[in-house]
């Protein structure tokens, strides 16, 4: 199959109409969202959704997120609640996914046999227009090969999905850069399953009882059941081995030392580029700029592989506030390889 990459254009909606038609016909489309690029199919079409698993090489027990245009569209696919609407009012459309009991219209293939469905209402205008033109909810995981860093540009999607899908819609780099915040809700409690741009602190403004699933911060223990199946898989991993360096270490000295012995890429702060001159540098943004570091993360991991790095050294982020999403993706990409203590 030839994979076409078309630029979005809201005035001349050629690419979007084509994409919507493919989705209605049971095909797959690479779609830009504010978080990462998604691999979308009609959420009512079990066969099309199975093709997503095939194209990604995704384990069959890892469910997909269903994307809707407006919060009230969740009524068709899920059993909503007051808390859902309070969260929706504040955070939708936006990078928040809410897991609720599913209705029968959503095939078991989408939810990997679970009796719950993950619902998200994206804010990206291209994603929204495709959902609108398709006239159906769109099931979409990240558009990378399973295990690889998620795609934040159309080129990343093309590199992973060339020959597997008919169309990728290009709308430039994603604004957030990591996947949505995923929460499970009961009447009066929120459980955070995956951190993202909607932070624990923001969620607490709507509902004070927010707990963080242990898999967000740690490795699952042997035999432990993940609340979110995706958390048990190797994730976001470049081919190079990623090591996270705690603030207790001298990053500059360590990077210089390792560079003498290994072909390593150094993910340094912008402020450190002078001190590390001559090494294979992948600047992540300024030290305080967590949003920029988050936005660049997956692209830099992919770049390290393209440069042929055997190892990557990066700063270990804190777990505070908006840095939690970055921390979670980085510890998983590194398979928990940390040099020095964890940063509080
Ligand atoms: P991705 O779309 O690739 O970002 O992955 C979707 C994430 O949402 C994975 O970690 C899934 O395990 C999780 N997810 C989707 N649906 C459910 C559900 N019904 N229950 C728990 N987790 C879910
Ligand atoms: Mg994914």
């Amino acid at each position: 199959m030839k994979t076409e990459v078309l630029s979005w254009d809201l005035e001349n909606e050629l690419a979007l109409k084509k994409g919507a038609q493919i989705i209605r016909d049971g095909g797959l489309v690479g779609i830009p969202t504010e978080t990462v690029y998604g691999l979308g199919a009609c959420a009512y079409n079990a066969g099309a959704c199975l093709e997503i698993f095939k194209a990604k090489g995704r384990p069959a027990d890892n469910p997909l997120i269903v994307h809707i245009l407006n919060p009230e569209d969740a009524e068709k696919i899920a059993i909503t609640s007051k808390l859902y609407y309070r969260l929706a009012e504040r955070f939708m459309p936006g990078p928040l996914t809410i897991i609720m009991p599913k209705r029968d219209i959503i095939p078991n293939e989408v939810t990997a046999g679970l009796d719950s469905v993950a619902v998200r209402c994206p804010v990206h205008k291209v994603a929204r227009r495709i959902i609108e033109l398709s006239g159906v909810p769109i099931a979409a995981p990240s558009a990378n090969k399973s295990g690889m860093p998620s795609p934040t540009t159309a080129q990343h999607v093309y590199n992973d999905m060339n020959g597997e899908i008919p169309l990728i819609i290009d709308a430039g780099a994603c604004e957030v850069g990591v996947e949505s915040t995923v929460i499970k809700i009961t009447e009066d409690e929120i459980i955070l399953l995956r951190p993202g741009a909607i932070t624990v602190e923001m969620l607490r403004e709507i509902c004070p009882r927010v707990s963080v699933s242990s898999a967000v911060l740690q490795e699952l223990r042997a035999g432990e059941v993940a609340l979110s199946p995706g958390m048990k898989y190797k994730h976001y991993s470049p081919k190079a081995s990623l090591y996270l360096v705690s603030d207790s270490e001298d990053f500059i000295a360590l990077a210089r030392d390792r560079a003498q012995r290994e072909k390593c890429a150094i993910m340094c702060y912008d402020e450190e580029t002078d001190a590390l001159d001559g090494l294979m540098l992948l600047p992540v943004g300024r030290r305080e700029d967590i949003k920029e570091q988050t936005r660049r993360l997956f692209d830099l991991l992919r770049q390290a592989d393209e440069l042929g790095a055997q190892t990557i050294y990066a700063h270990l982020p804190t777990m505070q506030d908006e840095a939690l999403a970055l921390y979670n993706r980085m510890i998983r990409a590194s398979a928990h390889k940390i040099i020095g203590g964890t940063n509080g």
Side-chain angles (χ1 to χ4, degrees):
M1 183 186 299
K2 192 177 167 330
T3 300
E4 200 176 6
V5 182
L6 294 177
S7 215
W8 74 284
D9 182 350
L10 283 184
E11 266 159 46
N12 173 9
E13 294 194 313
L14 217 71
L16 305 186
K17 283 183 184 149
K18 203 164 182 171
Q21 188 63 48
I22 291 171
I23 285 176
R24 279 200 301 272
D25 291 345
L28 309 186
V29 180
I31 298 170
T33 83
E34 69 274 22
T35 55
V36 300
Y37 275 71
L39 186 58
C42 170
Y44 297 149
N45 186 330
C49 291
L50 282 178
E51 291 298 319
I52 293 179
F53 287 86
K54 231 201 263 171
K56 278 181 64 82
R58 185 175 176 99
D61 67 350
N62 192 5
L64 309 177
I65 292 173
V66 179
H67 296 71
I68 56 177
L69 191 59
N70 296 307
E72 54 277 17
D73 298 338
E75 293 300 338
K76 283 182 229 144
I77 60 174
I79 297 164
T80 63
S81 61
K82 277 198 187 125
L83 180 53
Y84 168 75
Y85 281 106
R86 278 169 49 215
L87 289 162
E89 195 178 326
R90 174 80 155 72
F91 301 118
M92 288 187 181
L96 177 67
T97 296
I98 303 184
I99 295 168
M100 292 173 285
K102 89 183 230 340
R103 292 193 192 276
D104 289 344
I105 192 166
I106 293 295
N108 289 329
E109 285 77 0
V110 171
T111 62
L114 296 176
D115 53 12
S116 57
V117 62
V119 177
R120 165 157 137 74
C121 179
V123 69
H124 195 288
K125 58 190 172 201
V126 173
R128 295 185 63 73
R129 189 67 182 135
I130 290 257
I131 300 170
E132 195 174 15
L133 290 170
S134 307
V136 291
I138 295 182
S142 50
N144 52 298
K145 286 281 179 193
S146 208
M148 290 286 291
S150 294
T152 54
T153 65
Q155 183 67 50
H156 295 162
V157 182
Y158 186 81
N159 293 348
D160 281 19
M161 291 296 156
N162 181 23
E164 310 263 6
I165 60 175
L167 176 65
I168 300 164
I169 297 176
D170 185 354
C174 299
E175 174 66 24
V176 176
V178 292
E179 305 82 347
S180 59
T181 302
V182 177
I183 59 174
K184 198 167 179 134
I185 57 174
T186 62
E187 227 167 84
D188 61 350
E189 191 184 5
I190 296 176
I191 305 170
L192 179 77
L193 302 185
R194 179 173 75 184
I198 306 299
T199 65
V200 170
E201 292 67 26
M202 291 159 79
L203 293 168
R204 282 209 175 109
E205 286 172 22
I206 304 297
C207 168
R209 284 181 64 195
V210 181
S211 57
V212 177
S213 166
S214 62
V216 167
L217 301 172
Q218 292 147 17
E219 283 176 284
L220 285 180
R221 288 180 295 274
E224 193 177 351
V225 177
L227 278 177
S228 178
M231 290 197 286
K232 69 177 188 246
Y233 293 110
K234 178 172 169 261
H235 251 103
Y236 321 120
S237 304
K239 295 185 187 82
S241 288
L242 171 64
Y243 291 87
L244 304 180
V245 182
S246 150
D247 276 356
S248 65
E249 305 296 305
D250 181 340
F251 187 80
I252 305 278
L254 185 135
R256 287 213 159 279
D257 175 60
R258 298 297 162 106
Q260 285 178 0
R261 297 186 267 138
E262 302 158 16
K263 188 171 181 193
C264 59
I266 309 296
M267 289 173 58
C268 62
Y269 297 131
D270 289 358
E271 299 90 316
E272 294 170 323
T273 51
D274 285 347
L276 290 167
D277 192 30
L279 307 195
M280 191 195 291
L281 299 186
L282 296 171
V284 298
R286 298 191 67 79
R287 180 185 290 270
E288 303 303 328
D289 194 348
I290 303 296
K291 280 201 173 63
E292 183 63 22
Q293 293 169 36
T294 306
R295 199 175 292 135
R296 287 192 206 171
L297 174 67
F298 289 139
D299 181 58
L300 295 179
L301 295 179
R302 284 173 178 259
Q303 279 190 40
D305 279 346
E306 280 163 23
L307 291 167
Q310 296 158 333
T311 50
I312 308 169
Y313 294 88
H315 288 280
L316 174 68
T318 71
M319 301 174 210
Q320 252 79 68
D321 304 337
E322 62 177 355
L324 184 63
L326 187 63
Y327 176 87
N328 168 266
R329 301 314 188 277
M330 289 187 81
I331 53 165
R332 305 194 63 192
S334 75
H336 298 261
K337 292 193 292 296
I338 297 173
I339 300 175
T342 44
N343 299 333

